[in-house]
Amino acid sequence: MSTSSFTLRYFNAAGIAETTRLLLTAANVEWADEHPEWPAEKSNQPFGRLPVLIQKSAANETDLVISESVTIERYLARTYGFLPADPRKAALQEQIRDRLTDISIAFDVQRLASDDKKEESVDKLKDLLKRQIEASSKALRDNGNNGHFFGSELTYVDIATYAFFKRMIISVRDAQESISDLVKASLTPELRKLIAVVEANPRLAAQVDKAEKLVSVLSA
Amino acid sequence: MTADNTTPTYVLRYFDIIGLAETSRMLLTAAKAEWTEEHPEWPQEKPNQPFGHLPVLVEKSGAEDEEDFVLSESGSIERYLARKFNFVPTDNKQMARHEQLRDQHLDAIIAFFAQLSLVDEAKKEKREDFDAMLDKVIEIHTSLIRKNDDCGYLFGEELTFADMSAYAFYKLLVMYAVTFEADVAPFVKDKITPEVLHLLRTVESDPLLHEHVEKKGSFVAHILTE
């Protein structure tokens, strides 16, 4: 397994690939980004979309090609120990992470909404965010407020949550500053602790150091 | 069966609709699990759910001192049941093949529902996204059926998670999404290939799903007679 190498095909942006990049980095495997010409390369992808993860063996044979950002995440998390083998414990992490997708969808809906639907869709986003922040903060408190959802080691849901808030605060800033500010203002002490702990983890340094730090933005 | 020989029982909480619970219903039935469905008063019961929404799966171990295991999120619920009842391979790579299909199905469904609330150019674009995703899903299903010797299952020779997810996908679009936009039913039906129809027939006639089809009716008959 340690002789495998990976290629992650995606656009040159954090987008929905950042959690995958962080997992690959934390797993300490050989990996590289590939930014296909788009839409020229669309028909060369299994499902016509990105991201796509390609795994190669030591002999450079293709072992696996998978699509769907969250499937990619779970595959890496399971293979490299960021999700527990116990199905119940894994499911508890997955359900928190799946909620983040719902919020991202609500974000897209409000961004594209027509004027008459705008307020309603922004309210929906705010409501989902509020619930997620409440539930996450409680889980973090129940775990001793050590910056981790479970135990005291970096896990999948820690990484996914960090990447989510980084996207909603930094990536979204240029397009919709009001949403970025709203998310920033909603962060609880528990979530700020998680962000600080995850961002400082040496296993993630190679990826985190490539761009602006979330902790810097939060203390600005 | 659990180690102390008590069999878990399940409660699936959802609305009385196809929605996002159909695959879970099929998994529980095919697993021959002891399960019931609950339709909570809504929105009164919202605060009593872990994340304030449905579906929710409750697994009761039957052992006196053990707490119920409560899980939210249709995807997490489906994957938990699929793994528990061996409807996915245990190998991570193979499991990923099933999961990516399920995630594709959901993406297409989300695209359909997202365009409902849009107008004009935005709606047209999002609807085109849905159309493209639907075409791709059908292409993939068709190709997998052919590659699998046309036995009617997507992978291997037995009913798996991927098969149930695919069946629920078409059923949701033709029988549930239609209540939001009538034209989606004939639109989807027209695109169904012989291979996909073979998949739907095979899933529906699998003995493990006999009880499910008895209760819910034949989706295949619905497609063929309308």
Side-chain angles (χ1 to χ4, degrees), chain B residues 70-140:
Chain B
V70 185
L71 195 57
S72 291
E73 292 304 313
S74 60
S76 296
I77 292 169
E78 288 172 25
R79 286 188 302 270
Y80 178 72
L81 291 172
R83 289 169 81 184
K84 181 150 192 135
F85 294 109
N86 301 310
F87 287 111
V88 279
T90 49
D91 169 65
N92 280 344
K93 291 189 176 81
Q94 303 230 42
M95 200 187 296
R97 291 197 307 168
H98 289 251
E99 290 186 16
Q100 76 176 342
L101 267 185
R102 189 267 174 197
D103 285 352
Q104 275 292 306
H105 300 156
L106 187 69
D107 277 359
I109 288 164
I110 289 168
F112 173 79
F113 282 97
Q115 59 88 31
L116 285 179
S117 61
L118 304 176
V119 289
D120 307 324
E121 247 335 279
K123 184 179 179 85
K124 184 165 172 282
E125 259 182 56
K126 204 73 179 175
R127 178 61 203 244
E128 278 166 8
D129 277 353
F130 163 68
D131 293 350
M133 282 189 226
L134 173 66
D135 283 344
K136 198 65 183 178
V137 164
I138 291 173
E139 188 192 308
I140 304 263

Side-chain angles (χ1 to χ4, degrees), chain A residues 158-200:
Chain A
D158 295 337
I159 294 172
T161 299
Y162 164 78
F164 170 78
F165 283 107
K166 193 166 179 182
R167 185 176 180 212
M168 292 299 282
I169 293 169
I170 298 182
S171 302
V172 158
R173 194 174 41 187
D174 291 336
Q176 274 189 298
E177 202 177 345
S178 58
I179 301 288
S180 168
D181 288 343
L182 164 79
V183 176
K184 207 167 130 180
S186 315
L187 286 177
T188 55
E190 292 85 1
L191 280 166
R192 281 173 174 262
K193 174 117 194 209
L194 173 132
I195 287 165
V197 165
V198 171
E199 200 161 65

Side-chain angles (χ1 to χ4, degrees), chain A residues 138-157:
Chain A
K138 178 173 189 302
L140 289 164
R141 272 196 306 276
D142 288 350
N143 194 43
N145 200 23
N146 63 358
H148 299 287
F149 275 95
F150 301 99
S152 52
E153 301 282 318
L154 189 66
T155 61
Y156 172 42
V157 65

Side-chain angles (χ1 to χ4, degrees), chain B residues 158-218:
Chain B
E158 290 177 339
L159 186 69
T160 64
F161 174 41
D163 299 316
M164 288 183 257
S165 179
Y167 178 91
F169 168 72
Y170 291 106
K171 188 173 177 184
L172 183 150
L173 289 174
V174 174
M175 296 185 70
Y176 175 64
V178 67
T179 61
F180 295 86
E181 258 178 25
D183 77 303
V184 73
F187 181 74
V188 173
K189 276 195 283 192
D190 280 348
K191 288 176 180 271
I192 285 176
T193 57
E195 287 82 359
V196 167
L197 186 58
H198 186 193
L199 165 68
L200 298 174
R201 283 183 198 274
T202 307
V203 168
E204 221 173 72
S205 57
D206 193 299
L208 291 178
L209 290 174
H210 176 78
E211 210 183 296
H212 177 86
V213 178
E214 280 283 290
K215 204 158 100 179
K216 301 285 187 172
S218 167

